[in-house]
Amino acid sequence: MTTQEALFQYTLRIADTNLILAQRISEWTGHGPFLEEDLALTNIALDITGVAKSLLEYAASIENKGRSADELAYFRNDRQFYNAQITELPNGDYARTIVRQAIVDCFDYYFYTELAKSKDETLMGIAQKSIKEVTYHLRHTSSWVERFGDGTEESHNRAQQALNELWQYTGELFEMTEVDEILIKEGIAVDLNKVKEKWENHMSELLEKSTLAKPENVFMQTGSRKGIHTEHLAFILAEMQALPRMYPDAKW
Amino acid sequence: MEDNKFEEVFEGKLAKNEMVEPKDWMPDNYRKHLIRQISQHAHSEIVGMLPEGNWITRAPSLRAKVVLLAKVQDEGGHGLYLYTAAETLGISRDELLNNLHTGKAKYSSIFNYPTLTWADIGAVGWLVDGAAIMNQVMLQRTSYGPYARAMVRICKEESFHQRQGFEIMTHLSFGTADQKAMAQDALNRWWFPTMMMFGPPDSESPNSENAIKWRIKRETNDQLRQKFVNQTVPQVEYLGLTVPDANLKWNEAKKGYDYSEPNWVEFKNVISGNGPCNKQRLLARNKAHNEGAWVREAAQAFARKRKEIYEAA
């Protein structure tokens, strides 16, 4: 694998994780538990769609085969998507949506902090811009994890159940492959072991503050680094890609 | 005696084009009219998020997705300012929402029509937001301060939305034959419902007289409708589309277009709950609210606990 191929796949991985999560949480738009929260979640969806767009534009330029960012988004099949599986899972109730968002926001916060030191200037720039946004996202979603954990018995149970169900998808976030190895040598990619430690500490502290139990000895699911997904992704893409695929010659 | 004096001050403000503010005395029917109008407007923004939100996950390009998300978020923001403006008149958001959820309060009937294709997202921005601006522009100078100020910001954002809607229509109309057909189909379905947004003909509009006196309205329904047609027809021509009205014709004498009246029987049907989406819009709002109950309760319980800890310390 060449550095260029590795960089293409690495960029797609980050882009897809943002795009698919945005796709999921934007399902809440207009249906949130109350207006302020509807706006907040829509805003997160908007921010991370923006990040996905920048990254896909960069991926298109790395690949340099005449494919545009839109073509990467709308004309790849599920086996060519590299988003973490946790992002494609159905939203479930609001506790599950928020717990997942906090898990990913926390990952993103430490990940972008490291990526902002990358020798790749485009990734560095996107990471620097994203840290500002993710800081707000994490503050917002963490505050809701706390409210749910230490709110009512019902909210506590819902949040705990969400954690128990979602935890098996957190291992994937930190998996490193040949892609990472090649790019770490070049000073481009992030050593995810470092991110993992910070993420674990942060999550432990948040869950303790929220009176929630951190799931232990969980078997971790895997696959997305190879483009293997849950059953949900193909449905997301069927919906997202329908129009461009129905009218492949059209420009929108 | 007292009331008469207050009323004089109030009438004086209207006469001098000054703003009425929340703490000022105002007649009961003025307050009621405003609560009805502002909350209807707020509800329209919130219900309006549904037909447009319907296409967020299917927006056909990354840019279109970003623009649509931002737009729907703006509509929610408008709802928020307007609920807040209504609250200054002494009614709670809970009560306002309850009126919406039980069907007691109205919202703009236009949102009871479905968004069936991507072109509908263009048509809604271009036509529906365009019509809304025409109704709302005069409200920036309406007599009630909090409403007027909210409208200044809302109108700015709405004219941005209208341009975005027109941009979608432009891409479609100058795109492939399929895209152009999609644009024409959307225009065919949205033209008359949009014309209905200005309300019944002046001869049958019960709320207009006071509304004009209170500067809650400045032009009549028919005047606004005519203005909308005059403004929109050249845009339709630019797009190379056809207005679905065989009677549409320039009338040199009135310097405006003659046009067919919308189907007022359909209008009454949609208003009274029989539009294509009335039931599902209300159902969606109720479902979101009911399923959000435990979230709101958790937030309140958490805040209480934190307050107790704070007070004990």
Side-chain angles (χ1 to χ4, degrees), chain B residues 122-132 162 186-187 190-191 194 197 228 232:
Chain B
V124 167
W126 168 43
L127 299 174
V128 173
D129 289 342
Q162 192 196 10
L187 176 59
W190 288 93
W191 176 260
T194 306
M197 286 176 67
F228 175 79
T232 309

Side-chain angles (χ1 to χ4, degrees), chain A residues 19 23 26-27 29-36 38-39 42-43 45-46 49-50 53 56 69-70 73-74 93-95 144 146-148 150-152 154-155 158 209 239-240 243-244 247 249-252, chain B residues 46 49-50 53 55-67 69-70 72-73 76-77 79-80 83 93 118 171-172 176 178-179 182 284-285 288-289 292 294-299 301-302 305-306:
Chain A
L19 181 63
Q23 186 72 10
S26 64
E27 290 170 17
T29 299
H31 306 274
F34 57 96
L35 187 49
E36 284 83 347
D38 202 316
L39 294 176
T42 302
N43 196 49
L46 184 56
T49 308
K53 184 169 176 283
L56 287 173
D70 279 339
Y74 291 95
D93 64 11
Y94 208 63
W144 275 103
E146 255 193 275
R147 282 188 196 103
F148 288 160
D150 199 14
T152 62
E154 180 178 4
S155 68
R158 284 176 185 263
K209 211 163 47 169
E239 181 174 330
M240 183 176 91
L243 210 43
Y247 303 102
D249 300 328
K251 293 208 165 40
W252 307 91
Chain B
I46 301 310
M49 292 171 82
L50 298 171
W55 279 89
I56 290 173
T57 58
R58 291 176 293 168
S61 74
L62 293 166
R63 182 170 181 275
K65 195 184 281 292
V66 168
V67 169
L69 270 167
V72 179
Q73 193 194 20
L80 199 55
Y83 282 127
R93 193 177 339 161
W118 174 248
H171 284 308
L172 297 174
T176 65
D178 282 335
Q179 282 177 302
M182 196 188 277
R285 284 314 317 153
H289 187 75
W294 70 266
V295 175
R296 300 188 298 274
E297 280 158 22
F302 180 80
K305 284 186 195 175
R306 283 297 172 276

